[in-house]
């Protein structure tokens, strides 16, 4: 039984050896505990319903129900459960699909133990565990912005400043960098970000960047 004060993690990977390595790393941390392991997406969904983990460490490439579909099912049914996607490849369109499906972040599978542990903590806090510039490069590569969708009503409801901040987020700027560029305090930017996320229905930075690209507010290479 994992104590309530620990972050409960569910491991999802079709390779038992990979799961074992992740378990050893995570269980060694005083604030983390592995509550279960799944070998495919269907098992991941079932265990998420039963165990209610705080974070699901989700491999995207699995036979049967893959990690993208499993992520979508989990985040829709269990919005309090955060998903951290893992992929063998830095630039992988399945990563963008997983972020669109509700994953709170992405890490390559060859990440260092320190980065993996911090990624779990970051996603649990409700933040996006993707380096901002890697996020922009990923989405700029795979989101089809050449034929943008009509601007959704939620975007039309943004203030000029919120729209400006959304574009800067999509260009990979952190809140601190945006604050410096606009000559305002980081807390002001944080308030704007919270407001614009609520208006566009984005859970986190990753989904906000996808919205900006798909609406044509920014295009790859800009």
């Amino acid at each position: 039984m994992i104590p309530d004060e620990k972050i409960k993690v569910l491991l999802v990977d079709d390779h038992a050896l990979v799961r074992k390595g992740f378990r050893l790393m995570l269980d060694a941390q005083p604030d983390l505990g592995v509550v279960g392991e799944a070998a495919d997406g269907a098992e991941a969904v079932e265990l998420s319903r039963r165990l209610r983990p705080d974070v699901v460490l989700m491999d995207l490439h699995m036979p049967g129900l893959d990690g993208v579909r499993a992520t979508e099912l989990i985040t829709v049914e269990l919005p309090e459960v955060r998903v951290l996607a893992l992929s063998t490849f830095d630039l992988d369109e399945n990563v963008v699909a997983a972020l669109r499906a509700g994953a709170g972040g992405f890490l390559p599978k060859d990440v260092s133990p320190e980065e993996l542990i911090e990624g779990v903590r970051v996603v649990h806090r409700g933040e996006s565990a993707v380096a901002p510039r890697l996020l922009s490069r990923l989405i700029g590569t795979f989101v089809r912005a050449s034929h943008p969708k009509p601007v959704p009503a939620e975007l039309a409801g943004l203030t000029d400043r919120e729209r400006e901040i959304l574009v800067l987020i999509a260009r990979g700027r952190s809140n601190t960098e945006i604050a410096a560029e606009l000559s305002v305090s980081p807390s002001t930017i944080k308030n704007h970000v919270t407001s614009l996320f609520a208006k566009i229905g984005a859970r986190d930075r990753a989904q906000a960047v996808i919205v900006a690209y798909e609406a044509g507010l920014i295009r790859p290479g800009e």
Side-chain angles (χ1 to χ4, degrees):
M1 187 67 131
I2 303 296
D4 289 341
E5 65 270 15
K6 285 196 173 190
I7 299 170
K8 299 184 290 294
V9 183
L10 173 65
L11 303 178
V12 185
D13 196 289
D14 57 330
H15 293 97
L17 194 58
V18 172
R19 298 197 306 271
K20 182 176 181 179
F22 286 156
R23 178 183 278 273
L24 289 171
M25 282 189 271
L26 298 173
D27 278 344
Q29 304 306 307
D31 59 332
L32 305 177
V34 175
V35 293
E37 298 181 20
D40 58 44
E43 190 178 9
V45 174
E46 179 57 35
L47 286 179
S48 292
R49 289 171 178 152
R50 184 152 53 88
L51 300 175
R52 301 299 171 107
D54 298 306
V55 177
V56 178
L57 208 53
M58 179 77 74
D59 181 30
L60 296 183
H61 301 276
M62 294 180 292
L65 188 71
D66 67 19
V68 174
R69 180 62 177 148
T71 295
E72 183 177 24
L73 292 171
I74 291 168
T75 57
V76 167
E77 184 177 337
L78 305 167
E80 72 280 6
V81 177
R82 303 284 292 172
V83 176
L84 178 55
L86 297 173
S87 174
T88 308
F89 312 102
D90 280 358
L91 284 177
D92 178 357
E93 60 184 323
N94 284 315
V95 173
V96 176
L99 294 172
R100 188 184 281 113
F106 152 73
L107 292 174
K109 288 182 81 169
D110 62 355
V111 70
S112 72
E114 294 78 16
E115 290 171 310
L116 176 72
I117 291 161
E118 185 57 24
V120 171
R121 291 170 177 152
V122 167
V123 163
H124 178 249
R125 290 199 300 266
E127 301 171 18
S128 181
V130 187
R133 285 176 178 79
L134 175 59
L135 177 62
S136 297
R137 187 160 62 96
L138 258 173
I139 294 171
T141 301
F142 294 111
V143 172
R144 307 302 181 218
S146 55
H147 301 288
K149 297 178 181 178
V151 176
E154 294 85 353
L155 246 62
L158 296 181
T159 66
D160 289 343
R161 178 46 62 93
E162 287 168 348
R163 185 178 287 247
E164 183 180 18
I165 290 170
L166 178 57
V167 170
L168 290 171
I169 288 172
R171 287 178 175 157
R173 307 288 201 280
S174 67
N175 282 3
T176 302
E177 290 169 334
I178 294 172
E181 188 163 333
L182 300 182
S183 301
V184 297
S185 70
S187 61
T188 297
I189 295 301
K190 185 176 180 181
N191 290 337
H192 281 306
V193 169
T194 300
S195 173
L196 79 87
F197 279 15
K199 288 181 180 178
I200 66 176
R203 282 172 47 137
D204 52 35
R205 226 172 181 82
Q207 291 192 340
V209 175
I210 291 172
V211 169
Y213 271 94
E214 290 192 328
L217 293 182
I218 185 169
R219 296 177 186 275
E222 288 186 352

